[in-house]
Amino acid sequence: MNGQCSFIDTRSISSEEVFDLFSTANQFRSSYESKGVFLHRGLAPQNKLAAFTFFESSTRTRMSFQTACYRLGIPVVSMDSLADTSIKKGESLLDTIFNVRAMNPEVLVVRCGQDLDLYELDKMLNIPIVNAGSGTVSHPTQALLDAYTIYREYGQVKDRRVLIVGDIEHSRVAYSNFQLLQKLGAKVAACGPPAFLPQEGVFPGVKFFHSLSEGLSWAEVCMVLRIQLERHDKSHLKLPSLATYHNEYGLTSEKLNILDKEGILMHPGPVNQGVELAPSTLRDKRSRILEQVENGVYVRAALMARVLGISTLEKSE
Ligand code: CP
């Protein structure tokens, strides 16, 4: 995390900071489960406002950041839909952000495409920025919640064998996960058709599989990604038919049985059923897909508390 405590990618967070966040997330979880609150009443932050500017669609990330803020007592102002903003009248994304910034929130949570450089924005705004997904570049809070899900399952991330299957080339989730999981000591591999994989060597240490069965034989954790059709160059579509893709790389209950018997299935969502996942796999006892969503609230709450300098120390009543 940088000087003004922005969180823009997983490169800028140390493994110690990650485990501190996991510990705060665990604290929020146990406090919520036992007392129905994340924070002791006396610790609710005063005068902290979060502004959300989501320039791309989102269900999980936006709602879990909102839930996290509400549970911490941080009011949120948010654009509900681009169709209702003045971007539709020609205002630029940058001008939109400067105008939201002029309302003096204490933190800005941003989802954007490739057209915004969050590091440049961070230099201009003078308040912390949290990256809620940036083009094909990064999705660092997704990587945090994914690593937290693995950590809760196995008690550690180190040496876990994580296979990421699908459209890696166009996936911000994959890039942030490669960085963070390797930082935490996991063994990471990618699997997909050649057109969906980055050049070997772009991510040193990441193994490549072109056969799903071989990848599943190696893995403990299988993280499946959807095909990011909206990010493909439509003039050079390198996509096999969806049926061919499902036959070769779609995970079915039968293929899931190849996975280590202690293995788990993950997916960041949204899922395209019948393409990357057969519907039956969603109900499989190894699926942790909804746990990922729940974990996202605790992890994002821990991150927001950290970014806003909110004390989470327990006090006696
Ligand atoms: N995983 C994820 O980023 O989902 P949303 O696009 O729904 O936020």
Side-chain angles (χ1 to χ4, degrees), residues 53 55 79 87 91-101:
T53 51
F55 300 119
M79 302 185 315
I87 292 167
E91 190 167 35
S92 73
L93 303 191
L94 211 48
D95 283 344
T96 303
I97 287 187
F98 288 143
N99 279 269
V100 173
R101 168 67 184 94

Side-chain angles (χ1 to χ4, degrees), residues 67-224:
T67 306
C69 286
Y70 288 133
R71 298 285 191 210
L72 292 176
I74 303 166
V76 172
V77 288
S78 176
M79 302 185 315
D80 283 336
S81 145
L82 284 191
D84 295 332
T85 70
S86 292
I87 292 167
K88 289 286 159 203
K89 302 177 206 161
E91 190 167 35
S92 73
L93 303 191
L94 211 48
D95 283 344
T96 303
I97 287 187
F98 288 143
N99 279 269
V100 173
R101 168 67 184 94
M103 297 171 204
N104 292 321
E106 272 65 37
V107 59
L108 189 69
V109 180
V110 185
R111 168 165 287 195
C112 58
Q114 231 76 313
D115 32 8
L116 277 180
D117 178 335
L118 294 183
Y119 278 105
E120 285 305 310
L121 198 60
D122 191 43
K123 289 184 208 151
M124 295 188 264
L125 288 193
N126 224 13
I127 55 167
I129 295 179
V130 175
N131 178 355
S134 156
T136 55
V137 179
S138 56
H139 195 351
T141 63
Q142 180 69 45
L144 279 179
L145 76 88
D146 290 340
Y148 179 63
T149 303
I150 295 168
Y151 173 73
R152 280 185 55 76
E153 186 72 31
Y154 298 103
Q156 59 175 13
V157 181
K158 189 170 184 315
D159 293 334
R160 299 278 73 87
R161 299 182 307 278
V162 183
L163 178 72
I164 305 183
V165 182
D167 186 7
I168 315 279
E169 176 74 359
H170 299 93
S171 170
R172 55 193 173 205
V173 174
Y175 292 149
S176 287
N177 264 304
F178 288 157
Q179 285 168 1
L180 187 68
L181 290 171
Q182 287 194 320
K183 183 178 300 211
L184 301 182
K187 299 184 168 85
V188 187
C191 176
F196 284 6
L197 296 180
Q199 299 272 314
E200 283 202 38
V202 171
F203 290 98
V206 174
K207 281 170 80 75
F208 283 75
F209 291 99
H210 295 296
S211 146
L212 180 57
S213 303
E214 282 177 23
L216 290 169
S217 304
W218 169 87
E220 290 172 290
V221 176
C222 177
M223 186 185 297
V224 181

